[in-house]
Amino acid sequence: NMSHELRTPLNAIIGFSDFIRDPPHQSLNSEKTKDYANDIYNSGQYLLTLINDILDMSKIESKRFELFEEVVPLDQLIEQCLKLTSRAADEKGISMRWTETSISILCDTRAMKQILINLVTNAIKFSHPQTRIKIYVHQEEEDFVISIQDNGIGMTDEDLERALLPFGQVRDAHIRENQGTGLGLNISRALTELHGGKLTIASQYEKGTTVSIHLPNYRIVPVQNASEIGTPDGDM
């Protein structure tokens, strides 16, 4: 799996750059050159993401991943996450909504942002076009919960068990073209656990998936006299 994931983007980078460097038959027009440059860029970004995931997973497994904690507004984290994933959502016509809140959380900002981006990216990847992804927050007895809900392809129990393994991927012909490294969900779970929390998944095949980040209450920093503000659609 590692060999395939590393070689595929590298082959694209080498192959398309070679076409630009030395066209086999005739000079490339600007449009074709731009297409090849985009393929090189996308392959490079994918490879960088893969390497970062592998390095993070290595640090987590060797218990060398250190948290640098600070208090950060939860709305700020979610908004930044949605901005970074908005292009992929727009390409599939997926709308994204979240429950605004005035609270802040004590966390490693980079790690928490990585958790949210991984989970939202997965939700986009496995959602049907023209659907909606919801991010909502709610209080439970012992935990504060951030949930990401989609109306995508969902998972069977067997798929779910496989998806939680490092490099595990859902076996479904419908999403073969969208498969990634298979590390995002595992890293998100490990980073959540480093924060003293847990990650849970509720999924139904062909109906959708809800992934929830449960954080201990001591990580919540409420703002006095603040109240939760619902999203404009009012159906959270």
Side-chain angles (χ1 to χ4, degrees):
N1 195 320
M2 281 281 292
S3 175
H4 171 77
E5 296 295 343
L6 289 169
R7 288 174 184 271
T8 299
L10 278 174
N11 285 336
I13 290 169
I14 294 170
F16 287 122
S17 61
D18 190 46
F19 271 112
I20 295 174
R21 182 177 63 88
D22 185 20
H25 301 296
Q26 58 185 3
S27 298
L28 296 173
N29 59 43
S30 59
E31 183 177 350
K32 200 66 177 177
T33 301
K34 184 177 180 180
D35 286 342
Y36 286 162
N38 283 333
D39 288 332
I40 292 169
Y41 176 82
N42 291 332
S43 296
Q45 288 292 322
Y46 177 85
L47 189 59
L48 177 61
T49 300
L50 172 61
I51 291 171
N52 285 336
D53 283 349
I54 293 171
L55 291 175
D56 283 341
M57 200 69 226
S58 176
K59 285 190 289 184
I60 290 169
E61 289 185 340
S62 62
K63 302 186 185 302
R64 294 177 61 188
F65 195 103
E66 296 183 38
L67 296 181
F68 298 94
E69 299 181 350
E70 59 182 337
V71 175
V72 58
L74 181 56
D75 268 5
Q76 178 180 314
L77 284 176
I78 295 175
E79 188 173 5
Q80 290 174 354
C81 166
L82 296 187
K83 283 182 179 179
L84 290 170
T85 56
S86 61
R87 182 175 179 179
D90 290 343
E91 288 177 353
K92 296 181 70 173
I94 295 171
S95 64
M96 298 191 288
R97 304 271 185 165
W98 89 94
T99 303
E100 297 178 9
T101 178
S102 298
I103 70 164
S104 295
I105 60 175
L106 176 65
C107 66
D108 182 306
T109 302
R110 175 185 172 274
M112 189 57 61
K113 191 182 299 184
Q114 184 175 3
I115 293 169
L116 291 170
I117 290 174
N118 284 346
L119 299 183
V120 172
T121 298
N122 272 354
I124 295 170
K125 185 186 302 183
F126 300 126
S127 285
H128 298 297
Q130 310 301 322
T131 55
R132 176 180 295 178
I133 291 170
K134 298 180 182 180
I135 302 177
Y136 55 94
V137 296
H138 59 282
Q139 185 74 49
E140 294 186 350
E141 185 176 348
E142 298 180 355
D143 302 321
F144 183 80
V145 185
I146 308 168
S147 295
I148 295 93
Q149 180 185 66
D150 67 63
N151 301 112
I153 65 171
M155 290 181 283
T156 64
D157 291 342
E158 182 182 355
D159 290 334
L160 182 55
E161 183 178 351
R162 184 182 301 111
L164 286 170
L165 296 173
F167 296 102
Q169 297 174 334
V170 178
R171 292 183 182 178
D172 192 320
H174 177 70
I175 49 85
R176 288 294 299 179
E177 62 184 24
N178 292 323
Q179 285 189 345
T181 64
L183 282 174
L185 191 58
N186 199 268
I187 289 175
S188 296
R189 181 175 65 171
L191 292 177
T192 300
E193 290 173 353
L194 283 176
H195 282 81
K198 63 180 179 179
L199 188 143
T200 61
I201 304 175
S203 186
Q204 287 184 284
Y205 186 67
E206 286 298 343
K207 291 187 177 180
T209 300
T210 299
V211 183
S212 296
I213 306 160
H214 300 254
L215 296 175
N217 285 328
Y218 71 80
R219 292 198 171 274
I220 305 307
V221 183
V223 177
Q224 291 183 349
N225 301 321
S227 59
E228 186 176 90
I229 303 172
T231 53
D233 63 1
D235 61 353
M236 285 293 185

